[in-house]
Amino acid sequence: MHLPHQRGPLHDLPDTPEAYDAVLADVTEQALARMTPEGNLEHPDCADDIGDTSLGITSLLALAWQRTKDPRLPEAVRRSLAFHLDERVYTEDNPGYPNLRVRNSGLPYARYTLAAGAHPIGDWPSTVWALLQSVNVLDAADGLVDDAQRARLLDVAHGYWRWLTKATFFNPQEAGNQAIGCVVGGLMLARHLPSAEGDPVRREALRLYQDEIRAHRVRDRGALLPPEHGGAYDNNYGPISLSFLAQAHRVSGEEVFAEDGDALARYIDARLTNGGFDNGGPRYSEQHSAFESVLGLRYFSARIGSDLGRYRGDSRWARHAVKADGGVDGHFAWMLVWQIQDTTPWHRAPSTAAARHHLRAGTVSVAFDDRMTPSVIEAGGTYYLAAAVNRQHGFGPVTDGFLLCRPMGEVRVRDVRAGGLAAKLVTQPVVGRDHVLRHVRSLYVTDGTSLWTTVAVERLDGTPYLLAGMPYAEDDGDRVRRTAEPRVTSAGTLRLTHPGPDGPHHFDARAATTQEQAAFALALDPRGYGNPDEGWRHLVTSTAIEAGPAPGAPEDLHVFAVRYGRDDSAFTPGFERDGTVLTVRTEAFTAVIGDAAGGADAEPELTLGR
């Protein structure tokens, strides 16, 4: 089976003016054929996320008119705008909405679903979206709508802003993308208001960003990130937040948005594999956005000098939101408007700078989590996730069922590049069940085709092995396909084990189940509301690669050596110990690893050569 949402890299989508004009031409024909006598442009199957969708199509028609002057469009824009203003602007409180600060304010808002009280919790983001659709129409209104209709839309947009910031609690879902989107709406709205009204809106938008978003950022992998649905990062909504930061910088010029966007972009770059696969998040584990992410990934790829466009989007939403029949939906239409307006080119080469939380070369990559344990390894077109044993997750030595990968002190990292090789040495102080402090030294070396992992630790009791990951997915053209077949060679014994018990707490990679589905089954709340990252942490066991100790290691050490990739040749590394220095020799390199306290600066030493 293929993963449903991770498809081709986003930078593969044509983004020339001609390509975008073709997209707008298709939207135009669909919209003109769909429009009802009342001016409604909603998709017939739209039920939720509906309050802004007709207006979203209107904004796309307004942009198309700006670019083509198609004579059919002015009347369509006026009629559809009138429909939104007459039929989709609500001023009476939605029954059951829990986040009001002021009752019966009379301020306008947009509904997530149209039936009163049916699903009021979604009204805050729907109103953000309606504000953004409104300011995009206002940007294109000159010569397209009359003064009275424009004034009415501006009054509603200003009302949306006041409802979002005065009548309700700000950002009630703790969703960074929604909150930054609201700030963008305020910044864009301020430009259309008289200065006496617009200046306070701009100041309030900037204050909300500083006090309600930036001040509550969450740290992960060395970066401060806008919190997403209560977590640090969601691989669906995180890149959408990046797009909002790009637009905030474009319309305001405020450097804070560029600085925070750079930080988020570098974080995304670190967690993304070369092939663009990623998983994990507090709202969705594997549901990737598509056109909604293009603006941010493209804008900041240029700023940080790395190929963020390798991110695998969902090509079903490659240009705009669609329903099951492929018909256009106006949801998130502002992102298509903004990415058309922005002409920043993709930066298509990877960054050459070493980064603490990733190792990349050629077609090999390792993304490291906050503990500097691999979260995803990519080699030979196969993606390996952290495996689980006895409720412990990660990559590392296991003895008597105890996984040694949770550091009890400072984790040291050393990066080296030499002779076409890239290497990272990670030293973790860990404590086992026997309360003995040990130093786990993990060396990762790649030539861009294969990945060699060597893990050394003070000799362990029993029959230890290296938990070397779980084969999860592999590239299949423009898709990602589930797999349980590793491409791994070990210097010692090698086993691929699968969990015996059935049930949601045991993940068998051979089953036709995605990581996201398994994670939601263990989450505390329903799918779409529960935290799949938290749910996945409840996993007890998984399919696992288990590598035995390598022969020929020094007597006082256990050394494990694994090679990831398509190379099936014999793997017989050699090891030499000289005091605290360990030399590792393989068919591709020689590495000399110093003690964690070997240098004057107490940092681990690493030299690398062919």
Side-chain angles (χ1 to χ4, degrees):
M1 60 176 289
H2 287 107
L3 300 183
H5 302 284
Q6 303 212 26
R7 301 181 182 229
L10 289 181
H11 61 204
D12 287 350
L13 294 170
D15 59 356
T16 62
E18 295 77 15
Y20 283 133
D21 283 338
V23 172
L24 292 174
D26 176 58
V27 171
T28 295
E29 297 308 320
Q30 288 193 53
L32 294 178
R34 175 190 301 169
M35 181 181 286
T36 67
E38 298 79 19
N40 187 355
L41 289 172
E42 292 159 1
H43 191 284
D45 293 339
C46 193
D48 53 22
D49 270 320
I50 192 173
D52 67 298
T53 60
S54 181
L55 189 60
I57 300 294
T58 302
S59 73
L60 293 175
L61 297 182
L63 180 62
W65 181 79
Q66 278 190 322
R67 294 168 71 91
T68 67
K69 295 300 187 287
D70 185 331
R72 300 173 296 170
L73 293 180
E75 178 62 20
V77 168
R78 294 168 195 144
R79 284 176 54 203
S80 59
L81 179 55
F83 169 80
H84 178 83
L85 294 172
D86 293 340
E87 303 294 337
R88 294 296 180 260
V89 178
Y90 293 83
T91 55
E92 295 181 356
D93 293 351
N94 199 348
Y97 185 68
N99 300 316
L100 290 175
R101 298 172 63 189
V102 178
R103 296 195 183 278
N104 303 313
S105 68
L107 292 171
Y109 67 94
R111 286 186 176 174
Y112 178 76
T113 58
L114 300 182
H119 199 316
I121 196 70
D123 289 355
W124 201 86
S126 288
T127 304
V128 174
W129 309 158
L131 171 61
L132 294 170
Q133 314 285 26
S134 298
V135 292
N136 277 341
V137 173
L138 288 168
D139 282 352
D142 289 345
L144 190 56
V145 300
D146 60 38
D147 291 344
Q149 196 175 42
R150 181 189 179 281
R152 188 179 173 195
L153 175 61
L154 181 58
D155 184 63
V156 167
H158 197 185
Y160 285 152
W161 170 256
R162 288 179 290 164
W163 187 87
L164 290 164
T165 58
K166 305 299 182 186
T168 73
F169 289 96
F170 183 79
N171 190 22
Q173 295 183 20
E174 295 183 338
N177 76 97
Q178 298 172 9
I180 304 171
C182 183
V183 168
V184 171
L187 294 172
M188 296 181 71
L189 171 67
R191 303 185 303 180
H192 292 282
L193 294 167
S195 58
E197 296 176 310
D199 291 347
V201 169
R202 178 186 170 91
R203 287 195 298 271
E204 178 68 358
L206 295 174
R207 185 198 69 78
L208 286 168
Y209 184 74
Q210 288 285 356
D211 296 349
E212 301 297 333
I213 302 171
R214 199 165 198 263
H216 297 280
R217 288 177 299 169
V218 178
R219 184 176 295 278
D220 186 48
R221 307 187 193 191
L224 286 171
L225 309 170
E228 188 54 63
H229 288 281
Y233 176 82
D234 185 281
N235 71 6
N236 180 49
Y237 291 115
I240 295 175
S241 286
L242 193 65
S243 287
F244 281 130
L245 288 170
Q247 182 67 2
H249 186 239
R250 290 182 68 237
V251 300
S252 73
E254 294 287 337
E255 194 60 25
V256 66
F257 298 118
E259 293 172 359
D260 292 355
D262 288 349
L264 177 54
R266 291 191 179 97
Y267 173 87
I268 293 173
D269 191 34
R271 66 178 294 143
L272 268 186
T273 58
N274 277 318
F277 170 81
D278 187 21
N279 77 302
R283 185 70 183 270
Y284 295 112
S285 288
E286 294 181 327
Q287 293 200 38
H288 272 36
S289 50
F291 80 97
E292 314 100 293
S293 303
V294 167
L295 172 67
L297 293 171
R298 193 174 63 192
Y299 190 82
F300 284 102
S301 74
R303 284 187 56 92
I304 71 168
S306 194
D307 55 334
L308 298 178
R310 69 188 190 277
Y311 178 93
R312 285 185 181 266
D314 191 334
S315 57
R316 293 168 298 183
W317 279 36
R319 299 302 195 179
H320 45 66
V322 298
K323 291 300 183 184
D325 64 358
V328 62
D329 181 23
H331 187 47
F332 268 54
W334 64 86
M335 286 295 192
L336 177 58
V337 172
W338 299 341
Q339 68 167 277
I340 292 174
Q341 292 171 336
D342 180 63
T343 57
T344 304
W346 286 110
H347 181 95
R348 295 179 178 271
S351 172
T352 57
R356 179 178 176 89
H357 290 92
H358 79 185
L359 175 67
R360 290 182 65 195
T363 59
V364 171
S365 59
V366 185
F368 295 87
D369 64 16
D370 226 21
R371 306 175 306 184
M372 285 307 297
T373 298
S375 58
V376 185
I377 285 177
E378 172 196 17
T382 300
Y383 303 99
Y384 303 86
L385 303 183
V389 57
N390 293 341
R391 293 184 173 87
Q392 305 159 96
H393 298 216
F395 291 73
V398 176
T399 177
D400 295 329
F402 190 83
L403 174 61
L404 296 168
C405 74
R406 291 172 299 282
M408 297 291 287
E410 190 66 25
V411 178
R412 313 297 183 110
V413 178
R414 178 63 59 91
D415 283 276
V416 172
R417 290 180 179 264
L421 300 168
K424 186 182 295 286
L425 173 64
V426 178
T427 299
Q428 296 173 312
V430 298
V431 175
R433 294 195 193 278
D434 56 7
H435 291 227
V436 174
L437 177 67
R438 294 177 172 87
H439 292 274
V440 177
R441 292 181 285 176
S442 302
L443 174 66
Y444 307 88
V445 181
T446 179
D447 61 358
T449 301
S450 297
L451 173 72
W452 291 264
T453 299
T454 306
V455 178
V457 63
E458 289 89 345
R459 196 159 190 87
L460 302 166
D461 295 331
T463 56
Y465 63 89
L466 179 71
L467 191 67
M470 174 182 71
Y472 177 69
E474 61 185 6
D475 291 333
D476 185 16
D478 286 339
R479 300 294 302 275
V480 179
R481 182 165 58 87
R482 285 277 287 104
T483 187
E485 298 296 325
R487 293 191 172 97
V488 174
T489 309
S490 172
T493 59
L494 186 67
R495 301 181 299 272
L496 179 66
T497 64
H498 303 285
D502 293 328
H505 291 88
H506 308 276
F507 186 83
D508 190 329
R510 298 169 298 181
T513 304
T514 67
Q515 185 270 347
E516 179 175 281
Q517 291 168 332
F520 270 123
L522 296 171
L524 298 179
D525 296 307
R527 182 178 176 89
Y529 301 95
N531 184 333
D533 270 3
E534 181 182 14
W536 187 252
R537 285 194 287 270
H538 293 299
L539 193 71
V540 176
T541 58
S542 73
T543 293
I545 302 167
E546 301 175 358
E555 290 185 358
D556 58 343
L557 294 178
H558 268 123
V559 179
F560 307 90
V562 173
R563 183 180 62 205
Y564 300 83
R566 298 178 183 274
D567 187 350
D568 295 325
S569 63
F571 182 41
T572 56
F575 312 99
E576 299 172 12
R577 177 76 175 269
D578 182 7
T580 61
V581 175
L582 177 66
T583 300
V584 180
R585 302 183 190 277
T586 74
E587 74 281 10
F589 65 87
T590 297
V592 180
I593 304 171
D595 191 284
D601 58 1
E603 292 296 324
E605 297 178 342
L606 174 64
T607 60
L608 187 67
R610 290 284 186 174

